Amino acid sequence: MDSVSFILFGATGDLAKRKIFPALYNLFLDEKLTAPFSIIGLSRREWTDEAFQLHVKESLSHFSRRFRKEENRLAEFLQAFRYCALDVTSSADYEPVLNLIESREEELGIQGNRLFYLSVAPEFFDIIASNIKERGIGTSKGWKRLVIEKPFGHDLASAQQLNEKLSTAFREDEIYRIDHYLGKQMVQNLESLKLANPIFQSLWNNQNISSVQITASETVGVEERANYYDRAGAIRDMFQNHMLQLLMMTAMQFPEQIGPEYIRHEKRKIMKSLRSLTKENVAFQVIRGQYDSGEINGKQVAAYKEEPGVESSSTNDTFIAARLWIDDPSWRGVPFYIRTGKRMEKKSTKIVIEFKNTLHDLQEGHNEKATPNLLIIEISPNESVSLQLNLKNPLNYGQAEPVTLHFSAPGKDVPEAYESLIYDALRGDPTFFAHWKEVELSWNWVQPVLEAFAENILPLHSYPAGSMGPKAAHQLLEEDGFKWW
Ligand code: BG6
């Protein structure tokens, strides 16, 4: 891998502290950050290099699982950090940034490879990209890459505008749009689960699968983010990006070859085959909810409308459930159910593949009920794969009962999503980043839902905090003869 300058916009922010510094530290410890490397922090505050290094150290002491274990290498790591104050909207401020990048490259012998990481509020994405171009920061002997956080736009039109602006400064193959769900180990494992296991390869279609369910439930509420969340809602915060990415990763067919362009091509095909909604029929396929007060883990919590920063009249969605159809030969007729929400009973992200239950018919009159075979992929907080089968239990007079074959991935020391994503960006592998076309097609599907929500065309169901969402979300599946597993 090449030696790089890692240029971090928003270096004094929360994400840098919690995720980016610990990820870089682990990569450094694992020799995955090729020496020499330069890390340049940029933010509005007037800090010295020493103050910044101390900040990085403190961040690691709180958020790095390897901080205490490998403290002896810390000083070496911190030496790579420099800081420069920057008002991202002031063109003149970029000159000292360029000087600093170049002087460090010269000092360390780095060949001009530059990774720009935007960990800033989305309204600054385009101005930073254009200043990188205008001020010549993106012009060097080496490569340049732009890593960008979500949200990528607020709706279809704003996402398109943003992309247009970015593309004047960076080519598509230089833009790495982070969706941290794509960095989760079990999501990355979906590919191997299908590709490396012929039994699943042959089963992965509407001949054998009756439905697919994807759940991401959270126990946290809006936290201190009302300002953002009350305008975003679950639909923009989770559904348009993470949930649709999980759908693509689950449903995509086997690429002709392994490689980012093949995989992304297959994902795009799924999005193109998604049956689109109209504002008028959203209500038949989508349930929106908002949490009321309730109890989670023995603790009473407030209703969404009572959260600090939220208007008591807010109609914002904190829960979404939807039924989606992929109109292609492999998936025609298989409903994909997706749900996500805040203040639910437990924190859990999982995918459940329900297989067709032909046995059910065969056994008619035998008074023996076979449960459907299920393949359950737990993404977090536990990482596991289980397969539910029916077997006879000799202790129960040979009655068939569901049993589960279970594999749990090692929980400790598994690289975090940010670690593997930053590593991929550094080596130029875009497989687990969202391509613009995926983002655009996702917004395209979501757009009528946004409009139907804005016009209050469908009811806003309330659900008690600590539950698994509104009743209507259960009815959505019952209509089709299914239930949430
Ligand atoms: C973020 C959302 O993208 O994902 C948050 O903005 C959400 O609202 C978070 O809590 C969930 O991520 P994870 O990794 O905890 O499932």
Side-chain angles (χ1 to χ4, degrees):
M1 203 173 67
D2 305 317
S3 271
V4 295
S5 297
F6 188 98
I7 301 140
L8 177 60
F9 293 78
T12 58
D14 210 47
L15 184 75
K17 181 167 80 180
R18 286 170 188 276
K19 301 287 182 191
I20 301 174
F21 300 143
L24 287 169
Y25 187 47
N26 285 344
L27 292 175
F28 161 77
L29 292 174
D30 292 339
E31 315 285 338
K32 291 200 161 125
L33 204 52
T34 307
F37 57 92
S38 152
I39 302 176
I40 294 181
L42 306 169
S43 191
R44 205 187 271 265
R45 294 182 208 176
E46 295 289 342
W47 275 6
T48 60
D49 290 339
E50 292 71 29
F52 182 48
Q53 290 170 356
L54 191 65
H55 171 76
V56 175
K57 183 176 172 183
E58 276 173 8
S59 310
L60 296 178
S61 76
H62 284 106
F63 300 107
S64 168
R65 62 179 191 275
R66 293 165 74 178
F67 178 72
R68 307 242 171 264
K69 278 192 244 160
E70 319 212 30
E71 224 172 333
N72 54 334
R73 300 207 51 206
L74 188 64
E76 192 190 332
F77 177 64
L78 293 177
Q79 261 173 26
F81 286 75
R82 294 291 182 280
Y83 183 82
C84 187
L86 167 78
D87 168 358
V88 293
T89 61
S90 152
S91 162
D93 273 16
Y94 287 79
E95 195 174 324
V97 173
L98 177 59
N99 293 341
L100 178 59
I101 297 172
E102 286 181 340
S103 73
R104 289 292 285 160
E105 283 174 349
E106 209 175 301
E107 198 179 319
L108 298 166
I110 294 173
Q111 299 303 314
N113 301 313
R114 295 176 188 168
L115 186 142
F116 302 97
Y117 196 120
L118 307 197
S119 172
V120 295
E123 58 265 34
F124 300 124
F125 289 167
D126 55 343
I127 182 110
I128 295 177
S130 81
N131 273 309
I132 289 174
K133 180 181 160 78
E134 298 306 322
R135 307 299 302 193
I137 302 178
T139 317
S140 65
K141 275 188 288 172
W143 50 252
K144 67 173 187 304
R145 289 178 198 141
L146 181 75
V147 178
I148 180 167
E149 284 287 336
K150 68 169 248 238
F152 201 91
H154 189 69
D155 54 16
L156 179 60
S158 61
Q160 284 168 332
Q161 274 160 19
L162 172 60
N163 200 57
E164 223 160 88
K165 285 189 184 147
L166 293 186
S167 60
T168 60
F170 290 88
R171 297 190 311 260
E172 173 61 27
D173 65 338
E174 294 173 328
I175 304 178
Y176 289 68
R177 294 176 198 81
I178 291 229
D179 184 308
H180 79 279
Y181 270 54
L182 288 177
K184 293 186 187 261
Q185 295 307 312
M186 271 332 225
V187 177
Q188 302 201 343
N189 229 324
L190 280 169
E191 223 188 327
S192 325
L193 186 77
K194 293 188 272 173
L195 282 174
N197 295 291
I199 57 164
F200 290 131
Q201 267 197 33
S202 54
L203 293 177
W204 221 254
N205 55 46
N206 55 6
Q207 300 297 308
N208 306 292
I209 290 174
S210 63
S211 78
V212 177
Q213 306 180 2
I214 307 175
T215 297
S217 58
E218 296 188 88
T219 51
V220 294
V222 62
E223 300 177 284
E224 283 86 46
R225 301 157 78 214
N227 204 3
Y228 149 76
Y229 192 82
D230 202 45
R231 285 179 295 138
I235 183 81
R236 294 182 176 88
D237 185 50
M238 292 288 291
F239 196 97
Q240 179 272 334
N241 38 67
H242 308 322
M243 303 311 284
L244 288 178
Q245 282 292 341
L246 292 182
L247 171 90
M248 288 179 240
M249 292 300 292
T250 309
M252 64 173 236
Q253 293 301 331
F254 316 99
E256 263 170 59
Q257 286 179 41
I258 299 293
E261 60 282 26
Y262 297 98
I263 290 179
R264 289 163 137 203
H265 176 70
E266 290 302 327
K267 287 171 72 184
R268 212 139 67 214
K269 275 181 17 198
I270 294 294
M271 287 312 293
K272 284 188 182 155
S273 308
L274 263 195
R275 191 181 302 169
S276 38
L277 296 179
T278 60
K279 205 165 64 180
E280 289 70 30
N281 67 16
V282 167
F284 300 103
Q285 311 295 338
V286 176
I287 305 295
R288 77 170 165 162
Q290 189 186 75
Y291 63 82
D292 202 345
S293 56
E295 200 181 291
I296 302 184
N297 299 328
K299 213 179 123 222
Q300 191 64 26
V301 297
Y304 178 70
K305 288 194 180 82
E306 289 155 21
E307 298 274 17
V310 176
E311 291 284 327
S312 58
S313 58
S314 171
T315 56
N316 190 35
D317 47 295
T318 64
F319 175 94
I320 293 274
R323 173 173 44 214
L324 295 91
W325 300 96
I326 300 170
D327 286 327
D328 72 7
S330 306
W331 291 116
R332 191 161 289 125
V334 180
F336 281 72
Y337 302 105
I338 297 183
R339 67 178 164 169
T340 180
K342 299 262 185 217
R343 285 287 191 230
M344 292 174 67
E345 187 189 340
K346 54 178 178 255
K347 169 88 183 155
S348 165
T349 304
K350 65 176 181 183
I351 299 169
V352 180
I353 314 287
E354 179 170 339
F355 291 92
K356 286 197 170 160
N357 199 356
T358 44
L359 205 68
H360 198 69
D361 302 334
L362 290 178
Q363 298 274 330
E364 212 164 319
H366 281 223
N367 210 8
E368 216 176 293
K369 265 205 251 135
T371 42
N373 293 137
L374 301 176
L375 176 66
I376 302 169
I377 301 143
E378 272 199 77
I379 294 163
S380 75
N382 304 313
E383 297 169 321
S384 69
V385 180
S386 13
L387 183 61
Q388 187 175 291
L389 307 171
N390 294 296
L391 285 180
K392 280 191 187 295
N393 179 351
L395 294 178
N396 196 11
Y397 300 96
Q399 283 267 355
E401 284 180 3
V403 295
T404 304
L405 309 182
H406 185 81
F407 164 77
S408 264
K412 250 179 70 197
D413 291 337
V414 173
E416 276 200 35
Y418 271 90
E419 223 167 301
S420 60
L421 290 176
I422 291 176
Y423 180 53
D424 286 350
L426 287 167
R427 22 182 219 135
D429 181 348
T431 308
F432 294 112
F433 292 84
H435 188 279
W436 162 241
K437 282 289 164 207
E438 294 161 24
V439 176
E440 187 178 38
L441 288 161
S442 301
W443 277 121
N444 199 42
W445 191 88
V446 159
Q447 188 62 33
V449 183
L450 299 179
E451 290 165 16
F453 283 12
E455 294 174 30
N456 274 316
I457 293 180
L458 65 170
L460 178 66
H461 299 276
S462 102
Y463 60 98
S467 69
M468 281 311 275
K471 281 202 191 79
H474 296 281
Q475 284 156 2
L476 184 74
L477 273 70
E478 284 159 17
E479 284 167 16
D480 305 335
F482 294 109
K483 62 172 186 181
W484 292 105
W485 292 101

